[in-house]
Amino acid sequence: MHPAPSLILFTVLSGTGFGLLVWLGFGLSAPLGLAAFILFGLGYGLAGAGLIAAAFHLGHPERALKAFTQWRSSWLSREAVLATASLAVMAPHAASSAFAATPLPLFGGLGAVLALATIFATAMIYAQIRAVPRWHHWSTPPVFVLAALAGGAMLAARNTLAHWLMLALAAAMVAHWVAGDRRFVQSGSNTGTATGLGALGRVRLLEPPHSGRNYLLREMVHVVGRKHAHKLRLIALGFGAIIPALLLMLPASYGTITLALVLHLTGMAAQRWLFFAEAEHVVGLYYGKR
Amino acid sequence: MTTLPATTQKKLGLVIDLDTCVGCHACVISCKGWNTENYGAPLADLDAYGGNPEGTFLNRVHTFEVTRETAPPMVVHFPKSCLHCDNAPCVTVCPTGASYKRVEDGIVLVNESACIGCGLCAWACPYGAREMDGAEKVMKKCTLCVDRIYNENLPEEDRTPACVRTCPAGARHFGDFSDPDSHVSKLSAARGGFDLMPEQGTAPVNKYLPPRGRDTLDVPDLASMCEPAPKTAKGFLGWLDRALERL
Amino acid sequence: MTQPIVNLSPQVSEEVRKTTCYMCACRCGINVHMKGGKVAYIEGNRDHPVNRGVLCAKGSAGIMQHLSPARLRAPLKRVGPRGSGEFQEISWDEALQLATDWLAPLRATAPEKLAFFTGRDQSQSFTGWWAQAFGTPNWAAHGGFCSVNMAAAGIYTMGGAFWEFGQPDWDRTKLFLLFGVAEDHDSNPIKMGLGKLKARGARVIGVNPIRTGYNAVADDWVGITPGTDGLFILALVHELLQVGKIDLGYLIRYTNAPYLVNAHDGPDKGLFLRGEDGKPLVRDRRSGRAVAWDSPGISPDLASGVRIGGVTHLPVFRHLADRYLSDDYAPENVAARCGIPAPRIRAIAAEIARVAFDEEITINQPWTDFRGQRHETMTGRPVAMHAMRGVSAHSNGFQTCRALHLLQILIGSVETPGGFRFKPPYPKPPEAHPRPHAGFTPGQPLDGPHLGYPLGPEHLLINDDNSAKRIDKAFSWDAPMSPHGMMHMVISNAHAGDPYEIDTLFLYMANMAWNSSMNTSQVMEMLTDQKEDGSYRIPRIIYSDAYSSEMVAFADLVLPDTTYLERHDCISLLDRPICEAGALADSIRWPVVQPDRDVRPFQSVLLDLGARLGLPGMVTEDGRPKFRDYAEYITHHERRPGIGPLAGFRGADGTAQGRGAPNPEQIARYIENGGFWIDHIPPEAQFYKPWNAAYQGWAVARGLYDSPQPYLFNLYCEPLRKFQLAAEGHGLRQPPDHLRARLVDTMDPLPLWYPTFTDAGTDPEDYPLHALTQRPMAHYHSWGSQNAWLRQIHGHTPLYVSGEIWTEQRFTEGDWATLTSPHGKITLPVLRMDALNARTVWTWNAVAKRRGAWALGEDAPEATQSALLNHLIHELLPPKGDGLRWANSDPVTGQAAWYDLRVRIEKAPKGQSRSYPAHPAQTSPVPAAPENLTHQVKA
Ligand SMILES: Nc1nc2c(c(=O)[nH]1)N[C@H]1C(S)=C(S)[C@@H](COP(=O)(O)OP(=O)(O)OC[C@H]3O[C@@H](n4cnc5c(=O)[nH]c(N)nc54)[C@H](O)[C@@H]3O)O[C@H]1N2
Ligand SMILES: Nc1nc2c(c(=O)[nH]1)N[C@H]1C(S)=C(S)[C@@H](COP(=O)(O)OP(=O)(O)OC[C@H]3O[C@@H](n4cnc5c(=O)[nH]c(N)nc54)[C@H](O)[C@@H]3O)O[C@H]1N2
Ligand code: SF4
Ligand code: SF4
Ligand code: SF4
Ligand code: SF4
Ligand code: SF4
Ligand SMILES: [Mo]
């Protein structure tokens, strides 16, 4: 799949933002006054920036409101509804914490649940796509959710929590890769089933339907070099989870936390890039790309 | 609308005969022509005369080669457009309701004025049957020529998809699969019509007919087909004489 | 659940105009849907006999052709050097004045100095008529480099060949063999026919080194080695003869199999024994005497001959049996050369025999033959064959085509149900065609039609010193039976001044500076080559094209044509009609839209030019133009009294068919009728056309012949023997010595096979591979690439190499390779293909473009990822050291031997990303194309 920068940015930033909001909402971190203003602002800012980045991905952002209508069936619609709902429900809690120094746990708790659901919905947008076997797996939501919660916990300065979440995230990423590498074969789709000619012999694309490129190839067929992928996995794992986890064991200081945060976000960007770039869509079978 | 109807009144779709398709791309271009002028926005062509032309097409013809253990390799031309799946994942993922499956006939359509161009439906389709229009930024797909098949401005015999009407080899057939007596149902049953990627669980309506056995010619040697085999030139003259006598 | 409301019945268009497609020479009927006076959508015309409503990719993309940014806009006068593409737009008055100023002196002094050659236009009877009136002997169309082997072999053997001459009986055939066809002119009908066969489960056998397209759907694929079809076909003949699976009755009644042939050495050897009235004689089995072939009540013999005056005369069939029963043609002995295992050859022969004789079909339709004998039924041998350039574009193509017809005739499947059927006005034997003419006199018309069918050396167009009278050397000893001329030799000969120099080269609709020439790079040099004094070696070039092609850049004066939707055309019985086997038909094009540029229909321009030159037939007695435009010519011109370009709706009231006075309303009647006219052959005349009294009578009534012309098929072709005799030293006209052996070897009156000249002359170690092109179904030669829709399908020309070569060369994905022939090099990306003859490579024909042409961007993949094979193919064979120029053509017909090409392949160095050769860009005479298209015609 094409690793569109807008999507990488969106999933990383908004994920982290909602992750932070989860912790803020649950009151695990209960900043008040200016601290609340800053932290809630950060959470809203990240979540909002992510949503704006996502809007860049749309052909017709002016019709975006229509995306709230299909929550019964569409995870993307659910995500939109949940994101808005969580931000709205959390708002009294946030405002009250910042300006009245009085958390409103009911709103906070409900908002946190919604924020968690938002992250899950984002993950499900990908996990539901059967045509991308690497995504279509139970390990996809954990990666998204843990990444968001770990990043959020770090921002919320819940270092121990963040430490353990980082380790869990590392495990989830590894699981996702290990499982992912086998998913295409496990999906049962191959050029034989794609064409229905598999029983006749070995099937191979001779000529694509057109000599130029097309939307499908641009969007859904992206070939990453294996060496490249290996390196990026190490970066994702190391920067995204392990090193931050180690840094979080050190005595807390702005320096280490900032470093951990930067590394984590860099690592997660690498992870997301790979998440798209390594994901093979079965349509590639029709283009001899597998 | 992105929930799928539990049932549809008809199941309209295509049968594509891989035994007959010569790979001429006629269906591709007639589709392009009809749909540029009809349903929704025109199908754009970007960099149309330049180094990287990229246009929107709703139907494309791939060519595969099949190598076999003992027989010579085969080439199969493989047209592909939307299969109007019964269990269409492209529909259920759509956040806006722009994608839907018609209750009347099962045709999967995009309501372009509601489409936000998120591209998710194209991701969800295993077959590559949806393309985002490069100029209009809305999702495009085969409409099964919904604006032809019921069109009262067309003569009855032309109320068929443009690609079917134009296919010179007669490799494309259109009809209602919910009716077991329809031409397409019978054809598919008789010739072993199959689904593409059944494991994807999409339950496609369109069916493909497999190529018939290739390179099977294997008849007894000529000599065994006629009684006195003349074989030699001399024998031939004798045979000729007798044969002329019989005329 | 509510769903959006879709407009299920949108207005499709405001008006439908029915005309004829021109995206290729198939000439399907089209419905042009108009909105607001503009073309909105094109679909097939269901009533049209050619396509019955279907349309190919090119046809449906006609709208993009019509709107092409490469359309020329006004007459052009060259201002830069030739080939640069630098022009100035001028007025029509200036353009026509210029042309008149150039041509009038030529006509007055040396008409042969005008060479007028046309491409795949559909008005050859008209352009030929014009050239004849001008008086130059140098006119022909493109047939010589296209498929004249097929046409000539067909006419000489049986009075017609494939495609425009006839077609398989698609509704009844049970076994269909297709030789060397990727697409052919009969584009839609072949596909429709294959569809019918598939629907009935009939067997299709594809003989082709490459398995794509039609050959991909063939039930059985014979991946033959290029250039060896003749051998394979004669092995099939060998097998069938050996077991007597031939239709003797058919041979006796309808062919010259019983004709007696002189076996005595001397000037008459190999000629038919003739009676005093000149009629060929046969041996009557009852009396044992030699009698005229058409004597009533005889029983012609095929086995024994007669001895008269000490001279033995044996029937044709004896010669034939002796030759093909020889072990030379045994499957085992041809298998290796053809690349087809012997058992497979046997199996195919057996299948032909089985279907022809065990699955014989009978139609209960009485008919009467030309001998007056009535037959109660029509018997069919449901084996049909079709072939095209894979067979004909070889230097042994003429004889290979003859061999194929021999095979068809031996099993009795020509003009019988289920077999191959002629389309009227065919069949038409060589005798019924004219002889070629080249008698020119300044200021006078030519002494007769340019092209025709020579019946012996006496009909050659040569001077006493054996030099050719025509610039292309057609009908000379180089190519004695070249009834379509040899357009591929014109530029090369004119440049060499051999046989003489010319002044003006006038080309119409042929991209001779690019894909239609052999030896393209050098042709461009010849067109721009200058003499010492700085003048061009070919002094003047006038060209008519509708688009900014490569050839345009080499013209001094460009006459821009309209597109096919903007002009009148007629697809005439005098030329290449659209008839079906069961019907006579012709059709028109008419301006369904008016041009929005300063362009004019070429035919009208030619009439205007003719009038300015005062050509006979084009001016009235008082010297004014006789025809306002081409439409008026179509309506009023008469070739013979009552016979004009269009056969339908003739006579004052428009009811006459075929023959009749001109009808001023004729074109309107065609338009009313959907753009065509059709007249069905009566049921009793549908088959056995050459021998069917009812058919012959009907053909006379329709003006196809002036009197019934029944004839027999020429298994043995006596005119060939006459040329051979000359080469053996007999007769007055003697070939030059260096050609004698070749003429003897190749002009055999019975079909034979010999290796192609390239195979015979090239060291297989140096050039081990065959290289071929195929036509992509979605492009028409060079025109397709300017079409925004079609060019996305085929925008480049990868080289397909067989699995064997792929492995040998250790190719991997993304590699490029250089192909080298004795003559040149090209470099292309490679792709693997297993369904390909193991020693063959191929690419798509004519997709490659010169930069700057066709209004394409300079980075267009057509220029950067593509190359023509033409750069590797020379119009001459490699020099033999004898100082002579040996044409790379069939020695009988002059057909260009495109597919004889042999090459070697080498992997290109890593990092290659552009094709070779890369010619400098030409300046575009048309404005840059728009970047993006979102075309929609709003009502
Ligand atoms: N390597 C290789 N080369 C080949 C062949 C092959 O098989 N292999 N095949 C050969 C054969 S069989 C043929 S017939 C030739 C074909 O060769 P050409 O006949 O030269 O084919 P085109 O490239 O179509 O060139 C025709 C020209 O007509 C112009 N044209 C199109 N429409 C109109 C119109 O309406 N009016 C006018 N005035 N001009 C128009 C086009 O712009 C183009 O420049 O190629 C030959 N070349
Ligand atoms: N779409 C489209 N249609 C066209 C044209 C076009 O440009 N595009 N051009 C038109 C013209 S001008 C012409 S002349 C016709 C030509 O029509 P075709 O004869 O169909 O044209 P080619 O593409 O030259 O195909 C030649 C075929 O012969 C095969 N072949 C080559 N050598 C041999 C051999 O030795 N033996 C055998 N058995 N096969 C061999 C090649 O693999 C190829 O498949 O098509 C006409 N129709
Ligand atoms: S039009 Fe028919 S034969 Fe041609 S590619 Fe399409 S399905 Fe195949
Ligand atoms: S083929 Fe693709 S676009 Fe069409 S219904 Fe099925 S999933 Fe949807
Ligand atoms: S691109 Fe349009 S149709 Fe597809 S999912 Fe998005 S909104 Fe729905
Ligand atoms: S049914 Fe209509 S929209 Fe669909 S592929 Fe055919 S022509 Fe195109
Ligand atoms: S075969 Fe195609 S391009 Fe040729 S005349 Fe017919 S529709 Fe037009
Ligand atoms: Mo041709």
mmCIF file with all atom_site columns, all heavy atoms in Angstrom, chain C residues 120 142 145-147 185 388-389 775 781, ligand 8:
data_model
loop_
_atom_site.group_PDB
_atom_site.id
_atom_site.type_symbol
_atom_site.label_atom_id
_atom_site.label_alt_id
_atom_site.label_comp_id
_atom_site.label_asym_id
_atom_site.label_entity_id
_atom_site.label_seq_id
_atom_site.pdbx_PDB_ins_code
_atom_site.Cartn_x
_atom_site.Cartn_y
_atom_site.Cartn_z
_atom_site.occupancy
_atom_site.B_iso_or_equiv
_atom_site.pdbx_formal_charge
_atom_site.auth_seq_id
_atom_site.auth_comp_id
_atom_site.auth_asym_id
_atom_site.auth_atom_id
_atom_site.pdbx_PDB_model_num
ATOM   1  N  N   . ARG C 1 120 ? -2.881  3.116   -46.975 1.00 0.00 ? 120 ARG C N   1
ATOM   2  C  CA  . ARG C 1 120 ? -4.059  2.281   -46.793 1.00 0.00 ? 120 ARG C CA  1
ATOM   3  C  C   . ARG C 1 120 ? -5.340  3.105   -46.853 1.00 0.00 ? 120 ARG C C   1
ATOM   4  O  O   . ARG C 1 120 ? -6.223  2.991   -46.040 1.00 0.00 ? 120 ARG C O   1
ATOM   5  C  CB  . ARG C 1 120 ? -3.948  1.472   -45.506 1.00 0.00 ? 120 ARG C CB  1
ATOM   6  C  CG  . ARG C 1 120 ? -3.222  0.161   -45.754 1.00 0.00 ? 120 ARG C CG  1
ATOM   7  C  CD  . ARG C 1 120 ? -2.516  -0.381  -44.565 1.00 0.00 ? 120 ARG C CD  1
ATOM   8  N  NE  . ARG C 1 120 ? -1.869  0.714   -43.885 1.00 0.00 ? 120 ARG C NE  1
ATOM   9  C  CZ  . ARG C 1 120 ? -2.460  1.381   -42.914 1.00 0.00 ? 120 ARG C CZ  1
ATOM   10 N  NH1 . ARG C 1 120 ? -3.612  1.021   -42.479 1.00 0.00 ? 120 ARG C NH1 1
ATOM   11 N  NH2 . ARG C 1 120 ? -1.851  2.401   -42.380 1.00 0.00 ? 120 ARG C NH2 1
ATOM   12 N  N   . HIS C 1 142 ? -0.339  0.676   -51.205 1.00 0.00 ? 142 HIS C N   1
ATOM   13 C  CA  . HIS C 1 142 ? 0.626   0.072   -50.289 1.00 0.00 ? 142 HIS C CA  1
ATOM   14 C  C   . HIS C 1 142 ? 0.713   -1.443  -50.380 1.00 0.00 ? 142 HIS C C   1
ATOM   15 O  O   . HIS C 1 142 ? 1.501   -2.055  -49.671 1.00 0.00 ? 142 HIS C O   1
ATOM   16 C  CB  . HIS C 1 142 ? 0.233   0.443   -48.872 1.00 0.00 ? 142 HIS C CB  1
ATOM   17 C  CG  . HIS C 1 142 ? -0.977  -0.321  -48.441 1.00 0.00 ? 142 HIS C CG  1
ATOM   18 N  ND1 . HIS C 1 142 ? -2.218  -0.054  -48.941 1.00 0.00 ? 142 HIS C ND1 1
ATOM   19 C  CD2 . HIS C 1 142 ? -1.116  -1.382  -47.620 1.00 0.00 ? 142 HIS C CD2 1
ATOM   20 C  CE1 . HIS C 1 142 ? -3.075  -0.906  -48.426 1.00 0.00 ? 142 HIS C CE1 1
ATOM   21 N  NE2 . HIS C 1 142 ? -2.443  -1.723  -47.621 1.00 0.00 ? 142 HIS C NE2 1
ATOM   22 N  N   . PHE C 1 145 ? 3.976   -3.735  -50.018 1.00 0.00 ? 145 PHE C N   1
ATOM   23 C  CA  . PHE C 1 145 ? 4.698   -4.052  -48.779 1.00 0.00 ? 145 PHE C CA  1
ATOM   24 C  C   . PHE C 1 145 ? 3.771   -4.678  -47.755 1.00 0.00 ? 145 PHE C C   1
ATOM   25 O  O   . PHE C 1 145 ? 4.181   -5.049  -46.676 1.00 0.00 ? 145 PHE C O   1
ATOM   26 C  CB  . PHE C 1 145 ? 5.460   -2.850  -48.203 1.00 0.00 ? 145 PHE C CB  1
ATOM   27 C  CG  . PHE C 1 145 ? 4.671   -1.621  -47.847 1.00 0.00 ? 145 PHE C CG  1
ATOM   28 C  CD1 . PHE C 1 145 ? 3.710   -1.657  -46.854 1.00 0.00 ? 145 PHE C CD1 1
ATOM   29 C  CD2 . PHE C 1 145 ? 4.947   -0.412  -48.460 1.00 0.00 ? 145 PHE C CD2 1
ATOM   30 C  CE1 . PHE C 1 145 ? 3.024   -0.511  -46.503 1.00 0.00 ? 145 PHE C CE1 1
ATOM   31 C  CE2 . PHE C 1 145 ? 4.258   0.734   -48.111 1.00 0.00 ? 145 PHE C CE2 1
ATOM   32 C  CZ  . PHE C 1 145 ? 3.292   0.689   -47.129 1.00 0.00 ? 145 PHE C CZ  1
ATOM   33 N  N   . CYS C 1 146 ? 2.532   -4.799  -48.122 1.00 0.00 ? 146 CYS C N   1
ATOM   34 C  CA  . CYS C 1 146 ? 1.563   -5.289  -47.150 1.00 0.00 ? 146 CYS C CA  1
ATOM   35 C  C   . CYS C 1 146 ? 1.346   -6.784  -47.322 1.00 0.00 ? 146 CYS C C   1
ATOM   36 O  O   . CYS C 1 146 ? 1.942   -7.579  -46.612 1.00 0.00 ? 146 CYS C O   1
ATOM   37 C  CB  . CYS C 1 146 ? 0.280   -4.500  -47.327 1.00 0.00 ? 146 CYS C CB  1
ATOM   38 S  SG  . CYS C 1 146 ? -1.054  -5.019  -46.279 1.00 0.00 ? 146 CYS C SG  1
ATOM   39 N  N   . SER C 1 147 ? 0.544   -7.176  -48.275 1.00 0.00 ? 147 SER C N   1
ATOM   40 C  CA  . SER C 1 147 ? 0.205   -8.595  -48.345 1.00 0.00 ? 147 SER C CA  1
ATOM   41 C  C   . SER C 1 147 ? -0.055  -9.064  -49.759 1.00 0.00 ? 147 SER C C   1
ATOM   42 O  O   . SER C 1 147 ? -0.909  -9.898  -49.989 1.00 0.00 ? 147 SER C O   1
ATOM   43 C  CB  . SER C 1 147 ? -0.994  -8.893  -47.468 1.00 0.00 ? 147 SER C CB  1
ATOM   44 O  OG  . SER C 1 147 ? -1.734  -7.728  -47.219 1.00 0.00 ? 147 SER C OG  1
ATOM   45 N  N   . HIS C 1 185 ? -7.211  -7.319  -41.408 1.00 0.00 ? 185 HIS C N   1
ATOM   46 C  CA  . HIS C 1 185 ? -8.151  -6.253  -41.761 1.00 0.00 ? 185 HIS C CA  1
ATOM   47 C  C   . HIS C 1 185 ? -9.564  -6.615  -41.365 1.00 0.00 ? 185 HIS C C   1
ATOM   48 O  O   . HIS C 1 185 ? -10.367 -5.751  -41.052 1.00 0.00 ? 185 HIS C O   1
ATOM   49 C  CB  . HIS C 1 185 ? -8.130  -6.000  -43.271 1.00 0.00 ? 185 HIS C CB  1
ATOM   50 C  CG  . HIS C 1 185 ? -6.828  -5.480  -43.777 1.00 0.00 ? 185 HIS C CG  1
ATOM   51 N  ND1 . HIS C 1 185 ? -5.845  -6.290  -44.250 1.00 0.00 ? 185 HIS C ND1 1
ATOM   52 C  CD2 . HIS C 1 185 ? -6.349  -4.219  -43.854 1.00 0.00 ? 185 HIS C CD2 1
ATOM   53 C  CE1 . HIS C 1 185 ? -4.810  -5.556  -44.619 1.00 0.00 ? 185 HIS C CE1 1
ATOM   54 N  NE2 . HIS C 1 185 ? -5.084  -4.299  -44.385 1.00 0.00 ? 185 HIS C NE2 1
ATOM   55 N  N   . MET C 1 388 ? -2.766  -14.692 -43.124 1.00 0.00 ? 388 MET C N   1
ATOM   56 C  CA  . MET C 1 388 ? -2.410  -13.331 -43.474 1.00 0.00 ? 388 MET C CA  1
ATOM   57 C  C   . MET C 1 388 ? -0.910  -13.168 -43.423 1.00 0.00 ? 388 MET C C   1
ATOM   58 O  O   . MET C 1 388 ? -0.190  -14.067 -43.787 1.00 0.00 ? 388 MET C O   1
ATOM   59 C  CB  . MET C 1 388 ? -3.164  -12.357 -42.588 1.00 0.00 ? 388 MET C CB  1
ATOM   60 C  CG  . MET C 1 388 ? -3.737  -11.105 -43.247 1.00 0.00 ? 388 MET C CG  1
ATOM   61 S  SD  . MET C 1 388 ? -3.289  -10.732 -44.927 1.00 0.00 ? 388 MET C SD  1
ATOM   62 C  CE  . MET C 1 388 ? -3.170  -8.992  -44.821 1.00 0.00 ? 388 MET C CE  1
ATOM   63 N  N   . ARG C 1 389 ? -0.446  -12.057 -42.862 1.00 0.00 ? 389 ARG C N   1
ATOM   64 C  CA  . ARG C 1 389 ? 0.933   -11.667 -43.142 1.00 0.00 ? 389 ARG C CA  1
ATOM   65 C  C   . ARG C 1 389 ? 1.998   -12.576 -42.561 1.00 0.00 ? 389 ARG C C   1
ATOM   66 O  O   . ARG C 1 389 ? 3.126   -12.569 -43.021 1.00 0.00 ? 389 ARG C O   1
ATOM   67 C  CB  . ARG C 1 389 ? 1.146   -10.219 -42.726 1.00 0.00 ? 389 ARG C CB  1
ATOM   68 C  CG  . ARG C 1 389 ? 0.342   -9.309  -43.635 1.00 0.00 ? 389 ARG C CG  1
ATOM   69 C  CD  . ARG C 1 389 ? 0.580   -7.848  -43.410 1.00 0.00 ? 389 ARG C CD  1
ATOM   70 N  NE  . ARG C 1 389 ? 1.938   -7.463  -43.665 1.00 0.00 ? 389 ARG C NE  1
ATOM   71 C  CZ  . ARG C 1 389 ? 2.868   -7.298  -42.739 1.00 0.00 ? 389 ARG C CZ  1
ATOM   72 N  NH1 . ARG C 1 389 ? 2.570   -7.480  -41.479 1.00 0.00 ? 389 ARG C NH1 1
ATOM   73 N  NH2 . ARG C 1 389 ? 4.071   -6.950  -43.054 1.00 0.00 ? 389 ARG C NH2 1
ATOM   74 N  N   . ARG C 1 775 ? 0.564   -6.749  -34.797 1.00 0.00 ? 775 ARG C N   1
ATOM   75 C  CA  . ARG C 1 775 ? -0.305  -5.590  -34.664 1.00 0.00 ? 775 ARG C CA  1
ATOM   76 C  C   . ARG C 1 775 ? -1.071  -5.689  -33.363 1.00 0.00 ? 775 ARG C C   1
ATOM   77 O  O   . ARG C 1 775 ? -1.707  -6.700  -33.113 1.00 0.00 ? 775 ARG C O   1
ATOM   78 C  CB  . ARG C 1 775 ? -1.300  -5.565  -35.821 1.00 0.00 ? 775 ARG C CB  1
ATOM   79 C  CG  . ARG C 1 775 ? -0.718  -4.990  -37.061 1.00 0.00 ? 775 ARG C CG  1
ATOM   80 C  CD  . ARG C 1 775 ? -1.264  -5.652  -38.300 1.00 0.00 ? 775 ARG C CD  1
ATOM   81 N  NE  . ARG C 1 775 ? -0.753  -4.959  -39.472 1.00 0.00 ? 775 ARG C NE  1
ATOM   82 C  CZ  . ARG C 1 775 ? 0.489   -5.057  -39.895 1.00 0.00 ? 775 ARG C CZ  1
ATOM   83 N  NH1 . ARG C 1 775 ? 1.368   -5.793  -39.233 1.00 0.00 ? 775 ARG C NH1 1
ATOM   84 N  NH2 . ARG C 1 775 ? 0.880   -4.408  -40.966 1.00 0.00 ? 775 ARG C NH2 1
ATOM   85 N  N   . HIS C 1 781 ? -1.638  0.837   -36.841 1.00 0.00 ? 781 HIS C N   1
ATOM   86 C  CA  . HIS C 1 781 ? -0.321  1.347   -37.225 1.00 0.00 ? 781 HIS C CA  1
ATOM   87 C  C   . HIS C 1 781 ? 0.061   2.540   -36.361 1.00 0.00 ? 781 HIS C C   1
ATOM   88 O  O   . HIS C 1 781 ? -0.098  2.500   -35.157 1.00 0.00 ? 781 HIS C O   1
ATOM   89 C  CB  . HIS C 1 781 ? -0.301  1.693   -38.720 1.00 0.00 ? 781 HIS C CB  1
ATOM   90 C  CG  . HIS C 1 781 ? -0.523  0.489   -39.566 1.00 0.00 ? 781 HIS C CG  1
ATOM   91 N  ND1 . HIS C 1 781 ? 0.472   -0.386  -39.856 1.00 0.00 ? 781 HIS C ND1 1
ATOM   92 C  CD2 . HIS C 1 781 ? -1.636  -0.004  -40.149 1.00 0.00 ? 781 HIS C CD2 1
ATOM   93 C  CE1 . HIS C 1 781 ? -0.010  -1.372  -40.601 1.00 0.00 ? 781 HIS C CE1 1
ATOM   94 N  NE2 . HIS C 1 781 ? -1.280  -1.169  -40.782 1.00 0.00 ? 781 HIS C NE2 1
HETATM 95 MO MO  . MO  D 2 .   ? -0.837  -3.883  -44.441 1.00 0.00 ? 8   MO  D MO  1
#
